[in-house]
Amino acid sequence: MIQPGRKGLVLAAVLAAALVSQGCAARWAYREGKHEAENGNWDLAVARFTKALRADPTNVGYKIALERAKVQASRAHHAEGKKHLAAGELEQAADEFDIAAKYDPSNKSFVDDLILVKERIRRRDEEKERLADFEATKARAQAARLPLPVLSPRSTAPITLRFTEVGLEKIYESLGKVAGVNILFDEGFRDKKASVNLTNVSFEEALDRISFVNRLFYKVLDQNTVIIVPDSAANRRKYEEVLVRTFYIQNAELKEVETILKTVVGPTAKVGTNPTLGALTIIGTVDELALAQRIVDSHDKARGEVLVEVEILEVNRNKLKQYGIELSNYSASITYSPTGAAGEVDKGFTNVRAHLLSSLNLADFVVQIPSSILFRFLQTDASVRILASPRLRAAEGKKTTLRIGTEVPVPVTTFQTAVSVPGQAFTPATSFQYRNVGVNLELTPKVHASGEITLEMAAEFSVLGPTAVLAGTELPTFLTRNMNGTLRFADGETSLVGGLITSRDTTSHSGIFGLQSIPLLNKLGGTRKEEEDTEILISITPHLVRAPKVTEEDLTSLNVGTRELVKVPGARPPLFGEPEETPSPAPGEPVPGAPAAPGVPPPAGARPGPRATPPPPPASGTQIPPSQLPLPSPAPSPSPEEGPPPSAGSQAGPMVSAVFSPPEANIKLNNNGSISVVLMGAKDVTRVDVSLTYDPALAEAVDVTTGSLLTVDGANVGVEKGMEPGRVRASLARATGVSGSGAVATFTFRGVGAGRSALALEALTVRTATGAQEVLVPAPASLVVSP
């Protein structure tokens, strides 16, 4: 057991040991930091000095060393960031500047450089996004409203017109009074009798049919005025609006598209091109531009690409057989040499004295016969394979060439006129052209809309032959095999091209003359048989990389009017514009009528008809009998016996309208986007039940949040959500009623597949403290998911 006094000594010893250990650790870290600083490793120096300062916080030397190391590390990182910036490596430069600014926050220059680099990165990313979003930008531009005048919104209720032998001017004036539109007439208009019988048609349909039958056309001057003009080429040029639009051709050849447009659209449209930008500018009417858009969309398709796997196999087979009984030499000779002295026989002649011829006998002759018999049993069989397996990627209509071999110089001699050499009219001049000896392959693919591939192929296989001597000059010769043809493949189909065979058979026999016709004896001799075959095999497998995207719209016929007049349905905006979102009038205030025509003077030569006072639009099926011309008959009012309309007692207040905001929701793939349901002129709303339907293949519902209308006074709103594939429901309730206009619910979707679909309001119920309000349900919105 430790005594109390001794216990204090032990604690003091432990504390002293700890202090000594801590001091040693601080000094060790400081020495390591100085070592790293001497070597220029400022990051490690900062780490070591920081460790030393933590171990000994009161050491001023450690603090000064740490601050100096931070400054040096900041400068080093800033210099490294400058290098990355000069090399265009913005992310790396931003990282280095960020470290430099953190090491030395007081250096404003480093902070400014970091801000500038981050701004450059932001602008670069925005530019990349803009270029990648070109198709979406083009779609938004096409969906934008054309800069054409339209009439202010009117009732779309159908009308009925019946006239018999009435002047056209009165017919138009009556039609204008029904729709609340002022009718003007061109100075060339000539009134005539006409009969009209139209039932349940809109104002635009009635105007179109009456004008077409009587060789007239009309033009909207402003939101309240239409002018009627005789139909002629001169009047069309005078009144029809002309627009300018530029198409940027991405894939097709600019000249080809220009030629098609000039042929199809007609001579009235003006077409110009800019080959540098690949741009094509057209000045024409709305219908001509719509026709040009269809033509450009149908022809500006991505060029097809294929990846061709080619295997070239050259097989050389050489078989040799050599067999039989052979003598060492198949010749015998007799030489006259009476003395055998050296030099006695020379060049086939024997030099002897003439007197020796008298003593000629067999001993004076030397006979040479074969002394050896050879038995041959030789057989060789050689096979050589040369394999090349290239992979070629080729664009449609573009030739792709493969060359494997050796360049051999071939002399080419031309003759030039000699002026300085007397007596010679021409002097030869020799130059050299190089020819590839080996494998030469040319492929030109064509990708069909069905996905099949046509290859135009030209193959040449050549080898160097024996040298020929011509006029004392050695010239190379070539053995060449060519193949040209067109093949059609399915994607991934393999075709084997062969039959390029060269064969050579050689048989030779050596033996004793005359024995070949004697049985058994004819075996005495040698036989040599040699067979040499060379064959070329080509294996071709094309793979489809990209095919033209031919859509169903490209294959569908388009109505473009008549041969005299180009008119594309849907090209022009509706005759009446979209209704403006205006707040509902307060109770007791009169409903504003149609706006007065602005003070824009009509075109020269226009004469106005009688001023039409816009009445309330007639009910469905309103008929205008000729006896009541030029004023239209009013809509029949309900009789007292009929009572009030059925809906009068079933709604708590005036009818409210609903709209989507925005009317088209654009979402990127795998990103979120939102669309809101907005109520206009709501009164004392306490509960809203809403249900939307959409295409689950393009998007999925993520969330539903309360809109600004229900939370404008800070009240608590209860939300019940129900989400399933293709449908999302929400119920939003609050304790007290709220009035006004604004969003009641915001729906968030996530894009899961590229495309366009309708976002429809399946159900919408607006409740108040006294009952339910009737709501005008809007047309479906558009949900666009872009890649």
Side-chain angles (χ1 to χ4, degrees), residues 428-779:
T430 301
S431 60
F432 291 89
Q433 295 181 354
Y434 285 86
R435 174 176 174 176
N436 187 76
V437 178
V439 178
N440 298 322
L441 186 63
E442 292 182 353
L443 299 174
T444 305
K446 179 180 180 182
V447 181
H448 302 274
S450 61
E452 292 188 331
I453 304 167
T454 296
L455 287 180
E456 295 182 4
M457 185 175 64
E460 177 185 288
F461 303 92
S462 58
V463 294
L464 192 61
T467 302
V469 179
L470 181 62
T473 304
E474 294 184 352
L475 301 177
T477 61
F478 306 95
L479 175 61
T480 304
R481 285 158 288 176
N482 293 307
M483 183 190 67
N484 296 296
T486 302
L487 305 176
R488 186 157 180 162
F489 300 85
D491 183 19
E493 181 182 356
T494 300
S495 178
L496 189 65
V497 179
L500 303 175
I501 302 176
T502 301
S503 299
R504 186 178 65 177
D505 296 341
T506 305
T507 302
S508 60
H509 181 79
S510 58
I512 300 174
F513 175 74
L515 296 182
Q516 290 298 316
S517 57
I518 301 175
L520 297 179
L521 297 181
N522 57 2
K523 302 299 181 182
L524 299 176
T527 302
R528 179 187 178 92
K529 292 184 177 181
E530 185 175 1
E531 298 178 3
E532 183 177 357
D533 295 333
T534 301
E535 182 177 6
I536 301 295
L537 300 176
I538 309 173
S539 173
I540 301 176
T541 306
H543 298 280
L544 187 60
V545 177
R546 183 183 292 113
K549 295 181 180 179
V550 179
T551 62
E552 186 175 352
E553 183 182 2
D554 297 329
L555 303 176
T556 305
S557 300
L558 178 67
N559 184 1
V560 294
T562 63
R563 292 186 181 274
E564 295 183 359
L565 178 64
V566 176
K567 190 172 184 180
V568 179
R572 295 179 177 272
L575 188 60
F576 294 103
E578 297 294 334
E580 298 179 359
E581 296 182 1
T582 55
S584 301
E589 292 185 4
V591 178
V600 179
R607 56 185 179 88
R611 177 73 176 180
T613 304
S620 175
T622 300
Q623 179 177 338
I624 305 178
S627 60
Q628 297 183 3
L629 286 173
L631 296 177
S633 61
S637 58
S639 61
E641 293 79 12
E642 294 177 359
S647 61
S650 60
Q651 61 184 29
M655 183 179 297
V656 299
S657 60
V659 296
F660 285 104
S661 179
E664 180 178 289
N666 292 282
I667 307 174
K668 284 190 172 297
L669 194 63
N670 298 323
N671 288 343
N672 293 343
S674 60
I675 189 169
S676 300
V677 176
V678 180
L679 291 183
M680 308 296 296
K683 299 292 183 181
D684 296 327
V685 177
T686 58
R687 183 183 178 90
V688 176
D689 297 322
V690 60
S691 175
L692 299 181
T693 59
Y694 59 95
D695 187 357
L698 300 184
E700 64 177 358
V702 176
D703 194 11
V704 183
T705 57
T706 307
S708 59
L709 177 62
L710 300 180
T711 59
V712 65
D713 55 357
N716 294 326
V717 179
V719 181
E720 296 180 4
K721 310 172 187 177
M723 287 176 282
E724 58 185 271
R727 180 179 287 105
V728 55
R729 301 183 182 89
S731 296
L732 305 100
R734 50 176 287 155
T736 59
V738 64
S739 302
S741 301
V744 293
T746 299
F747 298 84
T748 303
F749 296 90
R750 180 177 178 84
V752 296
R756 175 189 291 268
S757 72
L759 184 65
L761 194 60
E762 185 181 44
L764 177 61
T765 305
V766 179
R767 299 185 183 278
T768 65
T770 58
Q773 283 188 327
E774 186 176 355
V775 182
L776 289 176
V777 179

Side-chain angles (χ1 to χ4, degrees), residues 165-455:
E165 293 298 321
V166 179
L168 279 176
E169 188 170 345
K170 287 189 175 295
I171 295 175
Y172 277 115
E173 291 171 359
S174 300
L175 186 61
K177 290 180 179 180
V178 172
V181 177
N182 299 321
I183 304 294
L184 301 180
F185 298 93
D186 182 76
E187 62 180 0
F189 176 82
R190 298 292 180 265
D191 195 13
K192 66 177 182 178
K193 301 292 184 180
S195 297
V196 176
N197 188 357
L198 299 175
T199 303
N200 290 335
V201 296
S202 65
F203 171 76
E204 184 175 0
E205 292 173 340
L207 197 61
D208 286 337
R209 295 177 187 179
I210 296 174
S211 300
F212 177 76
V213 170
N214 295 280
R215 300 288 295 175
L216 302 169
F217 72 95
Y218 62 89
K219 172 182 171 56
V220 178
L221 297 180
D222 53 47
Q223 60 182 359
N224 290 316
T225 309
V226 173
I227 186 170
I228 308 299
V229 185
D231 195 354
S232 65
N235 286 337
R236 290 278 183 181
R237 291 193 297 269
K238 178 180 177 182
Y239 282 98
E240 280 195 336
E241 296 90 350
V242 177
L243 305 179
V244 59
R245 183 174 177 185
T246 299
F247 299 89
Y248 291 92
I249 308 302
Q250 301 296 310
N251 305 288
E253 295 292 338
L254 189 62
K255 286 297 182 183
E256 296 178 359
V257 178
E258 179 187 8
T259 302
I260 296 173
L261 285 175
K262 289 182 177 179
T263 303
V264 176
V265 177
T268 57
K270 299 178 181 179
V271 182
T273 60
N274 183 351
T276 303
L277 290 178
L280 190 147
T281 301
I282 302 178
I283 300 178
T285 64
V286 177
D287 299 283
E288 290 173 341
L289 291 183
L291 179 57
Q293 175 69 57
R294 176 65 179 270
I295 294 173
V296 170
D297 291 343
S298 298
H299 290 84
D300 190 20
K301 303 292 185 182
R303 190 185 298 271
E305 291 188 28
V306 296
L307 180 65
V308 183
E309 294 183 358
V310 182
E311 292 185 355
I312 304 172
L313 179 64
E314 181 177 354
V315 181
N316 295 330
R317 291 184 293 269
N318 193 337
K319 295 182 179 181
L320 172 63
K321 292 182 180 181
Q322 190 172 359
Y323 57 89
I325 301 174
E326 299 181 6
L327 300 177
S328 60
N329 196 335
Y330 288 100
S331 62
S333 63
I334 300 176
T335 303
Y336 176 62
S337 179
T339 64
E344 184 179 15
V345 180
D346 183 21
K347 297 180 181 180
F349 295 93
T350 301
N351 301 316
V352 296
R353 298 291 181 179
H355 68 274
L356 295 177
L357 294 177
S358 60
S359 60
L360 185 64
N361 55 38
L362 293 177
D364 297 325
F365 294 90
V366 179
V367 179
Q368 292 181 345
I369 61 175
S371 61
S372 302
I373 298 178
L374 304 176
F375 296 89
R376 293 188 180 274
F377 306 97
L378 176 62
Q379 179 176 348
T380 61
D381 192 347
S383 179
V384 180
R385 302 176 62 195
I386 301 174
L387 179 64
S389 181
R391 295 164 61 91
L392 308 176
R393 182 164 178 171
E396 180 177 3
K398 302 298 183 181
K399 183 184 298 183
T400 301
T401 303
L402 170 67
R403 299 186 183 277
I404 302 174
T406 304
E407 295 288 337
V408 177
V410 179
V412 177
T413 301
T414 58
F415 291 89
Q416 300 176 352
T417 303
V419 179
S420 59
V421 182
Q424 293 186 8
F426 299 97
T427 58
T430 301
S431 60
F432 291 89
Q433 295 181 354
Y434 285 86
R435 174 176 174 176
N436 187 76
V437 178
V439 178
N440 298 322
L441 186 63
E442 292 182 353
L443 299 174
T444 305
K446 179 180 180 182
V447 181
H448 302 274
S450 61
E452 292 188 331
I453 304 167
T454 296
L455 287 180

